[in-house]
Amino acid sequence: MNHDKNPADEVRRYYTALEGASHAMLDAARAGDWDTVCRLEGACTVVIARLRRIRREQPAIDIDPAERLRILRTIVANDAEVRRIAQPLPGFYDSQPGWCPASLSVH
């Protein structure tokens, strides 16, 4: 059994993990589970750092450009929907006595 890691497979797994996490974040946002959204965001940060390290150390290693583009488009679309869900409706702050938007932390 070969235990050597194929760097391209490792990169593919990272991209696939990010895609899966973006779907999970969207599901959590739709359910109003912002703790899970934040937890998944933190996990994505770790995976993105690993991808950046691989790209810096071995720039020739990548996955099929069409596959990467499809995954990135999915992630961007899911992120946009999470952001849309997270945005309050116009007039929301006015109708929330004691609501302080400055207390929100941005990740």
Side-chain angles (χ1 to χ4, degrees):
M1 183 183 246
N2 186 356
H3 292 287
D4 293 334
K5 290 183 182 178
N6 178 336
D9 287 342
E10 185 178 13
V11 168
R12 182 175 290 105
R13 281 192 302 275
Y14 287 147
Y15 276 109
T16 302
L18 288 172
E19 182 181 27
S22 77
H23 285 295
M25 288 172 71
L26 180 54
D27 290 343
R30 286 177 174 156
D33 185 356
W34 299 105
D35 289 338
T36 296
V37 172
C38 290
R39 182 179 53 75
L40 289 166
E41 182 182 22
C44 288
T45 300
V46 172
V47 174
I48 290 167
R50 289 178 183 161
L51 275 171
R52 286 182 176 155
R53 179 184 44 83
I54 290 169
R55 298 287 303 188
R56 188 174 53 251
E57 293 172 0
Q58 301 173 0
I61 296 173
D62 205 351
I63 64 173
D64 174 64
E67 181 181 10
R68 184 169 53 89
L69 185 59
R70 181 198 61 75
I71 291 170
L72 292 174
R73 283 182 173 160
T74 299
I75 292 169
V76 169
N78 289 343
D79 181 67
E81 182 65 9
V82 169
R83 291 174 186 272
R84 187 196 64 75
I85 292 168
Q87 293 299 314
L89 298 173
F92 174 81
Y93 295 125
D94 298 333
S95 67
Q96 302 298 315
W99 178 259
C100 180
S103 68
L104 296 176
S105 62
V106 178
H107 298 279

